[in-house]
């Protein structure tokens, strides 16, 4: 039986790019019979981004509610909040002591922050960089190794971190004996990456997202704002380069997609294309959105789901951390 594990940082409500690229595949995978699935809300990771305390709770609620509303069945998977499993932090320190500093120097997120400082001609290349950011791949390794995960579905940008988790696990196993499974990243297809309002990849850091469960009116407004070119109605349009079309394709069947491609070639006007895509996406999401709104209004219920998931996660992590402690020599005297 394989273990599949993935986490999502609690820094704001999911957008439709997260849905297509991560949430929807996770829901499909959660129905696999040949795997145990662990899905968690990475609240300690969000501290790295300097999230404020109010926003943390709000974001945890929004993300948990989104996953459940999108069809993740908490009875079928272990759905939990990272901070409800304190063994992860304990493991994080043990792994920190097994991790070469040079490995962390090579992490993309850290290197990017240094590069930004250098470009700004700061005399301190580490300006504004916390140890949280620097050591973040170790915390992520602890998330993964705590549950002996075999498969880790992530976006391309997280591939390096999963490889680092694998390196750290191998080093630990070499020193202390076979303990951890070696995890592998499962990378989403490129087609699962959605463009945002401005045509670049939809991403919170670009501020070009469409939140997943926007009320219908606001969803329409957002779709109407998507950048298109200045071709007039009647002029043939290239569907492949159009964000509105890409969003439609992520939701529609191949036949429906082919039909809209044809209407682009025939010169559909931008207003009509956007209205059409809005109506389709809105209909597709409306049942889940109702469920989302119901869950958001009941934080105590969502809390109880997360607590129950945390308990199930600890059925694994508590005995496993005891074994790990023993291996490294953190043991009772008698
Ligand atoms: N770092 C991941 C992200 O930003 C989220 C994450 C944290 C994660 N821990 C993980 C993903 C463990 C997979 C496995 O997207």
């Amino acid at each position: 039986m394989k273990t599949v594990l993935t986490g999502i940082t609690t820094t704001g409500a999911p957008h439709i790019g997260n849905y297509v690229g991560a949430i929807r595949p996770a829901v499909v995978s959660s129905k696999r019979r040949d795997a145990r699935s662990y899905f968690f809300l990475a609240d300690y990771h969000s501290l790295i981004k300097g999230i404020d305390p109010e926003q943390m709770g709000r974001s945890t609620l929004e993300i948990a509610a989104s996953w459940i509303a999108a069809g993740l069945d908490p009875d079928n998977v272990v759905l939990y909040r990272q901070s409800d499993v304190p063994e992860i932090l304990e493991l994080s320190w043990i792994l920190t002591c097994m991790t070469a500093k040079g490995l962390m120097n090579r992490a993309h997120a850290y290197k990017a922050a240094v590069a930004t400082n250098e470009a700004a001609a700061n005399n301190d290349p580490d300006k504004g960089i916390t140890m949280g950011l620097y050591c973040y791949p170790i915390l992520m390794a602890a998330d993964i190794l705590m549950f002996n995960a075999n498969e880790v579905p992530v976006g391309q940008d997280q591939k390096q971190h999963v490889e680092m988790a694998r390196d750290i696990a191998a080093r630990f196993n070499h020193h202390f004996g076979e303990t951890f499974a070696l995890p592998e990243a499962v990378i989403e297809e490129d087609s699962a990456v959605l463009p945002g309002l401005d045509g670049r990849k939809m991403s919170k850091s670009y501020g070009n997202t469409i939140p997943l469960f926007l009320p219908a009116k606001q969803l329409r407004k957002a779709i109407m704002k998507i950048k298109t070119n200045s071709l007039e109605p009647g002029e043939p349009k290239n569907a492949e380069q159009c964000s509105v079309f890409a969003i439609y394709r992520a939701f529609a069947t191949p036949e429906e997609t082919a039909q809209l491609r044809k209407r682009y070639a025939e010169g559909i006007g931008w207003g009509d294309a956007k209205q059409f895509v809005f109506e389709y996406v809105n209909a597709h999401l409306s049942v889940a959105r109702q469920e989302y709104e119901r869950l958001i209004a009941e934080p105590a219920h969502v809390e109880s789901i997360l607590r129950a998931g945390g308990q199930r996660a600890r059925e694994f992590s508590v005995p496993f951390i005891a074994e790990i402690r023993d291996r490294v020599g953190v043991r009772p005297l008698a």
Side-chain angles (χ1 to χ4, degrees):
M1 187 89 153
K2 287 218 151 109
T3 297
V4 179
L5 175 145
T6 197
I8 174 162
T9 306
T10 51
T11 46
H15 52 73
I16 61 174
N18 298 138
Y19 175 70
V20 168
I23 299 175
R24 194 170 60 185
V27 170
V28 172
S29 134
S30 73
K31 301 191 168 120
R32 275 168 67 173
R33 286 272 155 256
D34 64 332
R36 270 171 79 78
S37 297
Y38 288 85
F39 293 112
F40 73 97
L41 304 161
D43 51 352
Y44 278 129
H45 283 270
S46 74
L47 284 182
I48 298 168
K49 318 223 164 162
I51 189 176
D52 77 65
E54 298 314 315
Q55 211 193 336
M56 170 101 84
R58 178 76 197 166
S59 171
T60 302
L61 174 64
E62 286 171 348
I63 293 174
S66 298
W67 281 26
I68 298 166
L72 197 78
D73 178 356
D75 291 330
N76 228 346
V77 306
V78 187
L79 174 65
Y80 59 102
R81 173 170 48 199
Q82 185 185 31
S83 59
D84 285 337
V85 183
E87 294 74 33
I88 295 169
L89 287 191
E90 220 178 313
L91 179 58
S92 185
W93 177 253
I94 295 173
L95 298 178
T96 299
C97 298
M98 290 305 300
T99 303
K101 176 169 176 286
L103 187 70
M104 294 301 97
N105 289 341
R106 291 194 286 280
H108 295 321
Y110 171 66
K111 277 172 53 178
V114 170
T116 305
N117 280 332
E118 282 169 354
N122 270 321
N123 41 21
D124 179 6
D126 282 326
K127 185 165 185 240
I129 299 175
T130 64
M131 288 306 289
L133 175 68
Y134 187 66
C135 297
Y136 144 71
I138 308 177
L139 180 57
M140 188 160 155
D143 294 328
I144 296 168
L145 303 183
M146 188 74 263
F147 296 98
N148 259 336
N150 308 102
E151 292 180 15
V152 184
V154 283
Q156 183 64 40
D157 61 321
Q158 297 292 319
K159 184 167 181 241
Q160 187 199 36
H161 297 143
V162 180
E163 287 165 358
M164 288 177 162
R166 195 183 167 86
D167 287 352
I168 296 169
R171 180 154 165 170
F172 186 101
N173 289 351
H174 181 75
H175 272 261
F176 297 113
E178 230 20 70
T179 306
F180 296 116
L182 301 185
E184 254 176 84
V186 179
I187 306 297
E188 304 140 15
E189 300 288 314
D190 264 3
S191 62
V193 174
L194 272 198
L197 298 176
D198 57 1
R200 292 185 293 174
K201 176 188 164 183
M202 191 179 291
S203 164
K204 239 175 282 173
S205 45
Y206 293 150
N208 64 357
T209 65
I210 301 177
L212 176 56
F213 292 126
L214 275 184
K217 240 177 139 171
Q218 281 163 261
L219 177 64
R220 182 172 184 280
K221 234 172 143 179
I223 291 178
M224 291 296 165
K225 271 211 308 238
I226 297 172
K227 214 170 123 192
T228 48
N229 58 30
S230 54
L231 291 174
E232 298 287 332
E235 291 186 86
K237 297 177 178 63
N238 184 347
E240 299 313 319
Q241 288 161 11
C242 174
S243 305
V244 181
F245 184 78
I247 289 170
Y248 182 73
R249 176 161 57 190
F251 289 90
T253 65
E255 294 75 40
E256 290 166 334
T257 304
Q259 287 242 316
L260 185 61
R261 185 181 288 109
K262 190 159 156 271
R263 290 179 67 192
Y264 267 66
E266 289 165 0
I268 188 174
W270 289 126
D272 289 346
K274 288 174 170 179
Q275 178 66 25
F276 179 76
V277 170
F278 156 68
E279 281 168 18
Y280 191 94
V281 173
N282 186 49
H284 187 96
L285 292 176
S286 71
V287 172
R289 180 167 54 213
Q290 272 174 30
E291 175 66 2
Y292 174 80
E293 281 164 2
R294 192 182 70 78
L295 289 164
I296 287 288
E298 268 189 273
H301 176 59
V302 176
E303 178 67 23
S304 71
I305 293 174
L306 292 180
R307 288 285 176 102
Q311 272 174 10
R312 282 174 65 205
R314 295 190 76 198
E315 285 169 20
F316 190 89
S317 63
V318 170
F320 194 32
I321 198 76
E323 182 192 329
I324 295 163
R325 273 205 220 132
D326 184 68
R327 282 192 186 263
V328 301
V330 176
R331 303 179 179 134
L333 292 177

